[in-house]
Amino acid sequence: MTRKAIFYHAGCPICIDAERQFADKLDPIQYQVEIVHLGEAKNRIAEAEAAGVKSVPAFVIDGQAYHINFGADLTALK
C-alpha cells in the first residue's frame, strides 16, 4: 500500500529545484506523490495551512509537514 505525499510549491526556482531533487525521487512503490502549485491552485492554500505548511516548498507526508529551504511564505501567495 502506498503512502500519500503532497508536495506544495509556488513555481519559484527554489520550488522547481526541490521538485526535481525530492518529489521526483520518492519511490513510487512507497509513495503516491501529488504536486500542488499553490500559485495556480490558490483554493488549496487553506488545505496546506491546515496541514501545517508555513512556507513552500514543502511536503506533507502522513499528516506531517516538512519544509525544504525557503521559497515563499504562504501569506505571499494569498
Side-chain angles (χ1 to χ4, degrees):
M1 183 174 186
T2 58
R3 295 162 50 192
K4 179 133 183 164
I6 304 174
F7 178 71
Y8 294 101
H9 73 97
C12 66
I14 290 170
C15 294
I16 298 302
D17 185 54
E19 181 179 344
R20 274 188 250 127
Q21 295 299 321
F22 298 100
D24 292 344
K25 299 210 174 36
L26 287 178
D27 182 354
I29 294 171
Q30 294 185 42
Y31 296 96
Q32 175 190 352
V33 179
E34 179 184 8
I35 297 173
V36 179
H37 186 311
L38 292 175
E40 296 173 352
K42 291 187 182 289
N43 60 315
R44 298 203 50 194
I45 292 173
E47 167 194 315
E49 288 177 317
V53 175
K54 306 283 186 220
S55 63
V56 290
F59 274 103
V60 174
I61 301 173
D62 296 333
Q64 178 67 45
Y66 299 94
H67 296 88
I68 304 167
N69 208 330
F70 183 84
D73 191 273
L74 286 190
T75 58
L77 299 174
K78 292 182 178 181

